[in-house]
Amino acid sequence: QEVGTLEAIKVKILIMGEEQNPLTLRIELTSENDLFFHFNHNLDEHGFRQVQEHQKLMVDFPEYPNVLIRMLNNCIKEPHSHLAVFVIEREGLARLDFIQNMEYKFVELLSCNFIASPEDIIRAHICFRYNTLKSRLALVQARLQDIESLIKVKNPSLLLQLSKAPAPRQPMK
């Protein structure tokens, strides 16, 4: 068995239907470090009943999203006692296990099955992230241009000094 790494994962919880009476729940997991890391967990009420029975859960489907949010928040707020372990298996299958450290024993609270997203979804997600960054860069460049124009009007000698000064060096990684 391979030992994994500790990594921050972005979790997006989407609910189809009303919040008090959801029809379907979808969880998307993505990573800032790996553009191709994209997994999802889809569950409707029927699928939830199977999970509920198999894992002996004491909550109903409408409460499931809030339970997930609470567990994720516990993992962030109390990392010494609450863990979220993501296990990638074969064939694009994966599992997110919520585990509580009881000091003398690890207790699995909940397990969610995930599947790797199809290539077209991953491609669309990467394009969206790229376009978002491109837009943000354009905004920052426009702001920099505005500042440069303002300095040109208010203090031209400062602009001249700034343009002559060598660019700060970036430390090598």
Side-chain angles (χ1 to χ4, degrees), residues 86-142:
F86 191 68
V87 180
I88 299 174
E89 298 168 351
R90 294 191 177 113
E91 315 274 325
L93 299 177
R95 189 179 72 244
L96 180 63
D97 296 328
F98 291 98
I99 300 168
Q100 185 173 2
N101 180 354
M102 306 290 283
E103 293 185 31
Y104 54 89
K105 181 180 180 182
F106 286 103
V107 178
E108 186 177 301
L109 302 174
L110 176 66
S111 186
C112 303
N113 291 322
F114 281 78
I115 187 163
S117 298
E119 211 173 287
D120 58 327
I121 299 288
I122 294 171
R123 192 176 302 114
H125 179 71
I126 291 171
C127 286
F128 173 78
R129 287 173 64 175
Y130 172 75
N131 289 329
T132 301
L133 283 175
K134 201 164 104 174
S135 298
R136 196 177 304 157
L137 176 63
L139 286 171
V140 169
Q141 286 176 330

Short mmCIF file of all heavy atoms in Angstrom, two decimals, residues 86-142:
data_model
loop_
_atom_site.label_atom_id
_atom_site.label_comp_id
_atom_site.label_asym_id
_atom_site.label_seq_id
_atom_site.Cartn_x
_atom_site.Cartn_y
_atom_site.Cartn_z
N PHE A 86 -8.43 10.44 1.43
CA PHE A 86 -8.90 10.16 0.08
C PHE A 86 -8.05 9.04 -0.50
O PHE A 86 -6.84 9.17 -0.62
CB PHE A 86 -8.83 11.41 -0.78
CG PHE A 86 -9.53 11.28 -2.10
CD1 PHE A 86 -10.92 11.18 -2.14
CD2 PHE A 86 -8.83 11.26 -3.28
CE1 PHE A 86 -11.58 11.07 -3.35
CE2 PHE A 86 -9.49 11.15 -4.49
CZ PHE A 86 -10.86 11.05 -4.53
N VAL A 87 -8.69 7.93 -0.83
CA VAL A 87 -7.99 6.75 -1.34
C VAL A 87 -8.39 6.55 -2.79
O VAL A 87 -9.57 6.35 -3.10
CB VAL A 87 -8.36 5.48 -0.52
CG1 VAL A 87 -7.62 4.27 -1.06
CG2 VAL A 87 -8.06 5.70 0.95
N ILE A 88 -7.41 6.61 -3.69
CA ILE A 88 -7.67 6.39 -5.11
C ILE A 88 -7.41 4.92 -5.41
O ILE A 88 -6.32 4.40 -5.14
CB ILE A 88 -6.79 7.29 -5.99
CG1 ILE A 88 -7.08 8.77 -5.67
CG2 ILE A 88 -7.03 7.00 -7.47
CD1 ILE A 88 -6.17 9.74 -6.38
N GLU A 89 -8.42 4.27 -5.95
CA GLU A 89 -8.31 2.86 -6.27
C GLU A 89 -8.15 2.69 -7.78
O GLU A 89 -7.89 3.65 -8.48
CB GLU A 89 -9.57 2.14 -5.75
CG GLU A 89 -9.71 2.24 -4.24
CD GLU A 89 -11.06 1.81 -3.72
OE1 GLU A 89 -11.97 1.56 -4.52
OE2 GLU A 89 -11.19 1.73 -2.49
N ARG A 90 -8.32 1.50 -8.28
CA ARG A 90 -8.18 1.24 -9.71
C ARG A 90 -9.42 1.68 -10.47
O ARG A 90 -10.48 1.89 -9.91
CB ARG A 90 -7.95 -0.26 -9.92
CG ARG A 90 -6.64 -0.71 -9.35
CD ARG A 90 -6.31 -2.12 -9.80
NE ARG A 90 -5.00 -2.47 -9.27
CZ ARG A 90 -4.80 -3.39 -8.36
NH1 ARG A 90 -5.81 -4.07 -7.88
NH2 ARG A 90 -3.60 -3.63 -7.93
N GLU A 91 -9.24 1.78 -11.79
CA GLU A 91 -10.34 2.06 -12.72
C GLU A 91 -11.04 3.40 -12.47
O GLU A 91 -12.22 3.55 -12.76
CB GLU A 91 -11.40 0.93 -12.65
CG GLU A 91 -10.84 -0.46 -12.65
CD GLU A 91 -10.60 -1.01 -14.05
OE1 GLU A 91 -11.38 -0.68 -14.94
OE2 GLU A 91 -9.63 -1.75 -14.21
N GLY A 92 -10.33 4.37 -11.89
CA GLY A 92 -10.92 5.69 -11.66
C GLY A 92 -11.83 5.78 -10.46
O GLY A 92 -12.50 6.79 -10.26
N LEU A 93 -11.88 4.73 -9.65
CA LEU A 93 -12.71 4.75 -8.44
C LEU A 93 -11.90 5.30 -7.28
O LEU A 93 -10.68 5.15 -7.23
CB LEU A 93 -13.22 3.35 -8.12
CG LEU A 93 -14.10 2.69 -9.18
CD1 LEU A 93 -14.46 1.27 -8.76
CD2 LEU A 93 -15.35 3.51 -9.45
N ALA A 94 -12.58 5.92 -6.33
CA ALA A 94 -11.92 6.48 -5.16
C ALA A 94 -12.90 6.51 -4.00
O ALA A 94 -14.11 6.29 -4.17
CB ALA A 94 -11.40 7.87 -5.46
N ARG A 95 -12.36 6.79 -2.82
CA ARG A 95 -13.18 6.80 -1.61
C ARG A 95 -12.66 7.88 -0.67
O ARG A 95 -11.45 8.03 -0.50
CB ARG A 95 -13.06 5.42 -0.95
CG ARG A 95 -14.01 5.17 0.19
CD ARG A 95 -13.82 3.77 0.76
NE ARG A 95 -12.57 3.68 1.51
CZ ARG A 95 -11.54 2.91 1.19
NH1 ARG A 95 -11.58 2.13 0.14
NH2 ARG A 95 -10.45 2.90 1.92
N LEU A 96 -13.57 8.65 -0.10
CA LEU A 96 -13.21 9.65 0.90
C LEU A 96 -13.72 9.14 2.25
O LEU A 96 -14.93 8.96 2.43
CB LEU A 96 -13.84 11.00 0.57
CG LEU A 96 -13.55 12.14 1.54
CD1 LEU A 96 -12.06 12.46 1.58
CD2 LEU A 96 -14.34 13.38 1.16
N ASP A 97 -12.79 8.87 3.15
CA ASP A 97 -13.13 8.36 4.47
C ASP A 97 -12.96 9.47 5.51
O ASP A 97 -11.91 10.10 5.58
CB ASP A 97 -12.23 7.19 4.85
CG ASP A 97 -12.39 5.99 3.95
OD1 ASP A 97 -13.50 5.77 3.44
OD2 ASP A 97 -11.40 5.27 3.73
N PHE A 98 -14.01 9.68 6.30
CA PHE A 98 -13.93 10.61 7.42
C PHE A 98 -13.64 9.78 8.66
O PHE A 98 -14.42 8.88 9.01
CB PHE A 98 -15.24 11.38 7.58
CG PHE A 98 -15.49 12.35 6.46
CD1 PHE A 98 -16.32 12.01 5.40
CD2 PHE A 98 -14.89 13.60 6.47
CE1 PHE A 98 -16.55 12.90 4.37
CE2 PHE A 98 -15.11 14.50 5.43
CZ PHE A 98 -15.94 14.14 4.38
N ILE A 99 -12.54 10.10 9.32
CA ILE A 99 -12.06 9.30 10.45
C ILE A 99 -11.86 10.21 11.66
O ILE A 99 -11.34 11.32 11.53
CB ILE A 99 -10.73 8.60 10.08
CG1 ILE A 99 -10.96 7.68 8.88
CG2 ILE A 99 -10.17 7.83 11.27
CD1 ILE A 99 -9.70 7.16 8.25
N GLN A 100 -12.28 9.71 12.81
CA GLN A 100 -12.06 10.45 14.05
C GLN A 100 -11.04 9.71 14.90
O GLN A 100 -11.15 8.50 15.10
CB GLN A 100 -13.37 10.61 14.82
CG GLN A 100 -13.23 11.48 16.06
CD GLN A 100 -14.56 11.76 16.73
OE1 GLN A 100 -15.61 11.29 16.31
NE2 GLN A 100 -14.51 12.55 17.79
N ASN A 101 -10.06 10.46 15.37
CA ASN A 101 -9.03 9.90 16.24
C ASN A 101 -9.51 10.03 17.69
O ASN A 101 -9.63 11.12 18.21
CB ASN A 101 -7.71 10.66 16.05
CG ASN A 101 -6.59 10.14 16.91
OD1 ASN A 101 -6.80 9.27 17.76
ND2 ASN A 101 -5.41 10.67 16.71
N MET A 102 -9.80 8.87 18.30
CA MET A 102 -10.31 8.87 19.67
C MET A 102 -9.18 8.67 20.68
O MET A 102 -9.41 8.22 21.80
CB MET A 102 -11.35 7.75 19.84
CG MET A 102 -12.48 7.80 18.84
SD MET A 102 -13.58 9.16 19.10
CE MET A 102 -14.52 8.56 20.47
N GLU A 103 -7.94 8.95 20.28
CA GLU A 103 -6.71 8.79 21.05
C GLU A 103 -6.31 7.33 21.20
O GLU A 103 -5.16 6.98 21.06
CB GLU A 103 -6.80 9.48 22.41
CG GLU A 103 -6.88 10.99 22.30
CD GLU A 103 -6.85 11.67 23.64
OE1 GLU A 103 -6.22 11.13 24.57
OE2 GLU A 103 -7.44 12.75 23.74
N TYR A 104 -7.25 6.47 21.46
CA TYR A 104 -6.94 5.05 21.64
C TYR A 104 -7.40 4.22 20.44
O TYR A 104 -7.09 3.04 20.33
CB TYR A 104 -7.57 4.50 22.92
CG TYR A 104 -9.06 4.76 23.01
CD1 TYR A 104 -9.97 3.85 22.49
CD2 TYR A 104 -9.55 5.93 23.58
CE1 TYR A 104 -11.34 4.10 22.54
CE2 TYR A 104 -10.91 6.18 23.64
CZ TYR A 104 -11.79 5.27 23.12
OH TYR A 104 -13.14 5.51 23.17
N LYS A 105 -8.15 4.86 19.52
CA LYS A 105 -8.70 4.13 18.39
C LYS A 105 -9.13 5.10 17.30
O LYS A 105 -9.64 6.18 17.58
CB LYS A 105 -9.92 3.32 18.86
CG LYS A 105 -10.59 2.49 17.81
CD LYS A 105 -11.77 1.74 18.40
CE LYS A 105 -12.43 0.90 17.34
NZ LYS A 105 -13.59 0.20 17.85
N PHE A 106 -8.93 4.70 16.04
CA PHE A 106 -9.46 5.46 14.92
C PHE A 106 -10.83 4.91 14.57
O PHE A 106 -10.99 3.71 14.40
CB PHE A 106 -8.54 5.35 13.69
CG PHE A 106 -7.27 6.14 13.81
CD1 PHE A 106 -6.07 5.50 14.10
CD2 PHE A 106 -7.27 7.51 13.64
CE1 PHE A 106 -4.90 6.23 14.21
CE2 PHE A 106 -6.11 8.24 13.74
CZ PHE A 106 -4.92 7.60 14.04
N VAL A 107 -11.82 5.81 14.46
CA VAL A 107 -13.19 5.39 14.16
C VAL A 107 -13.60 5.99 12.83
O VAL A 107 -13.54 7.22 12.64
CB VAL A 107 -14.17 5.86 15.27
CG1 VAL A 107 -15.59 5.46 14.94
CG2 VAL A 107 -13.76 5.30 16.62
N GLU A 108 -14.01 5.13 11.89
CA GLU A 108 -14.49 5.62 10.60
C GLU A 108 -15.93 6.08 10.77
O GLU A 108 -16.82 5.30 11.11
CB GLU A 108 -14.40 4.52 9.55
CG GLU A 108 -14.74 5.02 8.16
CD GLU A 108 -14.58 3.96 7.09
OE1 GLU A 108 -13.46 3.44 6.93
OE2 GLU A 108 -15.59 3.67 6.43
N LEU A 109 -16.16 7.38 10.51
CA LEU A 109 -17.49 7.95 10.69
C LEU A 109 -18.35 7.82 9.45
O LEU A 109 -19.55 7.55 9.53
CB LEU A 109 -17.36 9.43 11.06
CG LEU A 109 -16.55 9.75 12.32
CD1 LEU A 109 -16.39 11.25 12.48
CD2 LEU A 109 -17.20 9.14 13.54
N LEU A 110 -17.74 8.04 8.28
CA LEU A 110 -18.49 8.04 7.04
C LEU A 110 -17.52 7.80 5.89
O LEU A 110 -16.38 8.22 5.94
CB LEU A 110 -19.19 9.39 6.85
CG LEU A 110 -19.95 9.64 5.56
CD1 LEU A 110 -21.16 8.71 5.46
CD2 LEU A 110 -20.39 11.08 5.46
N SER A 111 -18.00 7.13 4.88
CA SER A 111 -17.20 6.89 3.68
C SER A 111 -18.04 7.24 2.46
O SER A 111 -19.19 6.84 2.35
CB SER A 111 -16.79 5.42 3.64
OG SER A 111 -15.90 5.20 2.59
N CYS A 112 -17.46 8.02 1.54
CA CYS A 112 -18.15 8.45 0.32
C CYS A 112 -17.39 7.90 -0.89
O CYS A 112 -16.18 8.08 -0.99
CB CYS A 112 -18.19 9.96 0.21
SG CYS A 112 -18.96 10.79 1.59
N ASN A 113 -18.11 7.28 -1.80
CA ASN A 113 -17.49 6.75 -3.01
C ASN A 113 -17.43 7.84 -4.08
O ASN A 113 -18.40 8.56 -4.30
CB ASN A 113 -18.27 5.55 -3.54
CG ASN A 113 -18.13 4.37 -2.62
OD1 ASN A 113 -17.06 4.12 -2.07
ND2 ASN A 113 -19.20 3.63 -2.44
N PHE A 114 -16.29 7.93 -4.74
CA PHE A 114 -16.07 8.91 -5.80
C PHE A 114 -15.66 8.20 -7.07
O PHE A 114 -15.21 7.05 -7.04
CB PHE A 114 -14.96 9.89 -5.40
CG PHE A 114 -15.42 10.96 -4.45
CD1 PHE A 114 -15.57 10.67 -3.09
CD2 PHE A 114 -15.69 12.23 -4.89
CE1 PHE A 114 -15.99 11.64 -2.21
CE2 PHE A 114 -16.11 13.21 -4.02
CZ PHE A 114 -16.25 12.92 -2.68
N ILE A 115 -15.81 8.91 -8.17
CA ILE A 115 -15.37 8.40 -9.46
C ILE A 115 -14.63 9.54 -10.17
O ILE A 115 -15.02 10.71 -10.04
CB ILE A 115 -16.55 7.87 -10.29
CG1 ILE A 115 -16.05 7.20 -11.55
CG2 ILE A 115 -17.55 8.95 -10.61
CD1 ILE A 115 -17.08 6.29 -12.21
N ALA A 116 -13.58 9.20 -10.90
CA ALA A 116 -12.84 10.20 -11.66
C ALA A 116 -13.75 10.79 -12.72
O ALA A 116 -14.51 10.08 -13.37
CB ALA A 116 -11.59 9.58 -12.28
N SER A 117 -13.67 12.09 -12.89
CA SER A 117 -14.49 12.76 -13.90
C SER A 117 -14.02 12.39 -15.30
O SER A 117 -12.83 12.15 -15.50
CB SER A 117 -14.42 14.27 -13.71
OG SER A 117 -14.93 14.62 -12.45
N PRO A 118 -14.95 12.39 -16.25
CA PRO A 118 -14.55 12.10 -17.64
C PRO A 118 -13.61 13.19 -18.18
O PRO A 118 -13.59 14.31 -17.68
CB PRO A 118 -15.87 12.11 -18.41
CG PRO A 118 -16.95 12.13 -17.39
CD PRO A 118 -16.37 12.58 -16.10
N GLU A 119 -12.86 12.83 -19.21
CA GLU A 119 -11.85 13.72 -19.78
C GLU A 119 -12.44 15.05 -20.25
O GLU A 119 -11.83 16.10 -20.07
CB GLU A 119 -11.15 13.01 -20.94
CG GLU A 119 -9.72 13.43 -21.11
CD GLU A 119 -9.00 12.59 -22.16
OE1 GLU A 119 -8.71 11.42 -21.87
OE2 GLU A 119 -8.76 13.13 -23.25
N ASP A 120 -13.64 15.03 -20.84
CA ASP A 120 -14.23 16.28 -21.34
C ASP A 120 -14.59 17.23 -20.20
O ASP A 120 -14.45 18.45 -20.33
CB ASP A 120 -15.44 16.01 -22.22
CG ASP A 120 -16.54 15.22 -21.52
OD1 ASP A 120 -16.21 14.37 -20.67
OD2 ASP A 120 -17.73 15.45 -21.83
N ILE A 121 -15.00 16.70 -19.06
CA ILE A 121 -15.30 17.53 -17.88
C ILE A 121 -14.00 18.14 -17.35
O ILE A 121 -13.95 19.32 -17.01
CB ILE A 121 -15.99 16.70 -16.77
CG1 ILE A 121 -17.32 16.11 -17.26
CG2 ILE A 121 -16.16 17.51 -15.50
CD1 ILE A 121 -18.43 17.11 -17.43
N ILE A 122 -12.95 17.33 -17.28
CA ILE A 122 -11.65 17.82 -16.80
C ILE A 122 -11.15 18.91 -17.73
O ILE A 122 -10.68 19.96 -17.28
CB ILE A 122 -10.64 16.66 -16.69
CG1 ILE A 122 -11.09 15.68 -15.59
CG2 ILE A 122 -9.25 17.19 -16.39
CD1 ILE A 122 -10.29 14.40 -15.54
N ARG A 123 -11.26 18.69 -19.04
CA ARG A 123 -10.81 19.68 -20.02
C ARG A 123 -11.59 20.99 -19.84
O ARG A 123 -11.00 22.08 -19.84
CB ARG A 123 -10.98 19.15 -21.43
CG ARG A 123 -10.29 19.98 -22.49
CD ARG A 123 -10.38 19.39 -23.88
NE ARG A 123 -9.83 18.06 -23.97
CZ ARG A 123 -10.54 16.96 -24.24
NH1 ARG A 123 -11.84 17.03 -24.45
NH2 ARG A 123 -9.96 15.78 -24.31
N ALA A 124 -12.89 20.91 -19.68
CA ALA A 124 -13.72 22.11 -19.49
C ALA A 124 -13.33 22.83 -18.20
O ALA A 124 -13.27 24.07 -18.15
CB ALA A 124 -15.19 21.74 -19.46
N HIS A 125 -13.05 22.07 -17.15
CA HIS A 125 -12.65 22.64 -15.86
C HIS A 125 -11.31 23.37 -15.99
O HIS A 125 -11.15 24.49 -15.47
CB HIS A 125 -12.57 21.52 -14.80
CG HIS A 125 -12.16 22.00 -13.45
ND1 HIS A 125 -12.98 22.75 -12.65
CD2 HIS A 125 -11.01 21.83 -12.76
CE1 HIS A 125 -12.36 23.02 -11.52
NE2 HIS A 125 -11.16 22.48 -11.57
N ILE A 126 -10.36 22.77 -16.69
CA ILE A 126 -9.06 23.39 -16.89
C ILE A 126 -9.21 24.67 -17.72
O ILE A 126 -8.60 25.70 -17.40
CB ILE A 126 -8.07 22.40 -17.54
CG1 ILE A 126 -7.71 21.29 -16.55
CG2 ILE A 126 -6.80 23.11 -18.02
CD1 ILE A 126 -6.91 20.15 -17.13
N CYS A 127 -10.02 24.62 -18.77
CA CYS A 127 -10.26 25.82 -19.60
C CYS A 127 -10.89 26.94 -18.77
O CYS A 127 -10.50 28.11 -18.89
CB CYS A 127 -11.17 25.49 -20.78
SG CYS A 127 -10.35 24.56 -22.07
N PHE A 128 -11.84 26.59 -17.91
CA PHE A 128 -12.47 27.58 -17.05
C PHE A 128 -11.43 28.22 -16.12
O PHE A 128 -11.38 29.45 -15.98
CB PHE A 128 -13.59 26.94 -16.23
CG PHE A 128 -14.18 27.86 -15.20
CD1 PHE A 128 -15.08 28.85 -15.56
CD2 PHE A 128 -13.81 27.76 -13.86
CE1 PHE A 128 -15.62 29.71 -14.61
CE2 PHE A 128 -14.34 28.61 -12.91
CZ PHE A 128 -15.25 29.59 -13.29
N ARG A 129 -10.58 27.40 -15.50
CA ARG A 129 -9.56 27.93 -14.60
C ARG A 129 -8.57 28.81 -15.34
O ARG A 129 -8.17 29.87 -14.86
CB ARG A 129 -8.84 26.78 -13.88
CG ARG A 129 -9.71 26.13 -12.83
CD ARG A 129 -9.11 24.91 -12.22
NE ARG A 129 -7.89 25.19 -11.48
CZ ARG A 129 -7.23 24.28 -10.79
NH1 ARG A 129 -7.67 23.04 -10.73
NH2 ARG A 129 -6.14 24.59 -10.14
N TYR A 130 -8.18 28.39 -16.55
CA TYR A 130 -7.25 29.17 -17.36
C TYR A 130 -7.86 30.52 -17.72
O TYR A 130 -7.22 31.56 -17.57
CB TYR A 130 -6.88 28.39 -18.63
CG TYR A 130 -6.08 29.21 -19.61
CD1 TYR A 130 -4.73 29.48 -19.39
CD2 TYR A 130 -6.68 29.73 -20.75
CE1 TYR A 130 -4.00 30.25 -20.28
CE2 TYR A 130 -5.95 30.50 -21.64
CZ TYR A 130 -4.62 30.75 -21.40
OH TYR A 130 -3.91 31.51 -22.29
N ASN A 131 -9.10 30.52 -18.19
CA ASN A 131 -9.77 31.76 -18.58
C ASN A 131 -9.98 32.69 -17.39
O ASN A 131 -9.90 33.92 -17.52
CB ASN A 131 -11.09 31.47 -19.29
CG ASN A 131 -10.87 30.89 -20.67
OD1 ASN A 131 -9.88 31.20 -21.33
ND2 ASN A 131 -11.78 30.04 -21.11
N THR A 132 -10.24 32.13 -16.22
CA THR A 132 -10.40 32.93 -15.01
C THR A 132 -9.08 33.62 -14.67
O THR A 132 -9.06 34.82 -14.37
CB THR A 132 -10.85 32.04 -13.82
OG1 THR A 132 -12.09 31.42 -14.17
CG2 THR A 132 -11.03 32.85 -12.55
N LEU A 133 -7.98 32.87 -14.73
CA LEU A 133 -6.67 33.46 -14.44
C LEU A 133 -6.29 34.51 -15.49
O LEU A 133 -5.71 35.55 -15.17
CB LEU A 133 -5.59 32.37 -14.38
CG LEU A 133 -5.57 31.55 -13.10
CD1 LEU A 133 -4.55 30.42 -13.21
CD2 LEU A 133 -5.26 32.42 -11.91
N LYS A 134 -6.63 34.24 -16.75
CA LYS A 134 -6.34 35.18 -17.82
C LYS A 134 -7.11 36.49 -17.60
O LYS A 134 -6.54 37.58 -17.76
CB LYS A 134 -6.74 34.55 -19.16
CG LYS A 134 -6.08 35.16 -20.36
CD LYS A 134 -6.20 34.26 -21.57
CE LYS A 134 -7.25 34.78 -22.49
NZ LYS A 134 -7.35 34.05 -23.74
N SER A 135 -8.36 36.40 -17.18
CA SER A 135 -9.16 37.59 -16.88
C SER A 135 -8.58 38.36 -15.71
O SER A 135 -8.50 39.59 -15.73
CB SER A 135 -10.60 37.21 -16.57
OG SER A 135 -11.20 36.58 -17.65
N ARG A 136 -8.17 37.63 -14.68
CA ARG A 136 -7.59 38.27 -13.50
C ARG A 136 -6.28 38.98 -13.86
O ARG A 136 -6.02 40.09 -13.41
CB ARG A 136 -7.35 37.22 -12.41
CG ARG A 136 -7.11 37.84 -11.04
CD ARG A 136 -6.95 36.82 -9.95
NE ARG A 136 -8.08 35.91 -9.87
CZ ARG A 136 -8.02 34.71 -9.33
NH1 ARG A 136 -6.89 34.27 -8.81
NH2 ARG A 136 -9.07 33.93 -9.28
N LEU A 137 -5.47 38.36 -14.71
CA LEU A 137 -4.23 38.97 -15.17
C LEU A 137 -4.52 40.25 -15.94
O LEU A 137 -3.85 41.28 -15.75
CB LEU A 137 -3.43 37.99 -16.04
CG LEU A 137 -2.16 38.53 -16.68
CD1 LEU A 137 -1.15 38.94 -15.61
CD2 LEU A 137 -1.55 37.50 -17.62
N ALA A 138 -5.52 40.22 -16.82
CA ALA A 138 -5.88 41.40 -17.59
C ALA A 138 -6.32 42.54 -16.66
O ALA A 138 -5.96 43.71 -16.88
CB ALA A 138 -6.99 41.07 -18.59
N LEU A 139 -7.07 42.23 -15.62
CA LEU A 139 -7.50 43.25 -14.66
C LEU A 139 -6.31 43.86 -13.92
O LEU A 139 -6.23 45.08 -13.75
CB LEU A 139 -8.48 42.65 -13.65
CG LEU A 139 -9.88 42.36 -14.15
CD1 LEU A 139 -10.67 41.57 -13.11
CD2 LEU A 139 -10.61 43.65 -14.49
N VAL A 140 -5.38 43.02 -13.50
CA VAL A 140 -4.20 43.50 -12.78
C VAL A 140 -3.34 44.36 -13.72
O VAL A 140 -2.83 45.41 -13.32
CB VAL A 140 -3.39 42.31 -12.20
CG1 VAL A 140 -2.03 42.77 -11.69
CG2 VAL A 140 -4.17 41.65 -11.08
N GLN A 141 -3.17 43.92 -14.98
CA GLN A 141 -2.39 44.70 -15.93
C GLN A 141 -3.05 46.05 -16.21
O GLN A 141 -2.36 47.07 -16.31
CB GLN A 141 -2.20 43.92 -17.23
CG GLN A 141 -1.20 42.79 -17.08
CD GLN A 141 -1.08 41.94 -18.33
OE1 GLN A 141 -2.04 41.79 -19.09
NE2 GLN A 141 0.11 41.36 -18.53
N ALA A 142 -4.38 46.08 -16.32
CA ALA A 142 -5.09 47.34 -16.54
C ALA A 142 -4.91 48.26 -15.33
O ALA A 142 -4.69 49.48 -15.49
CB ALA A 142 -6.58 47.07 -16.79
#
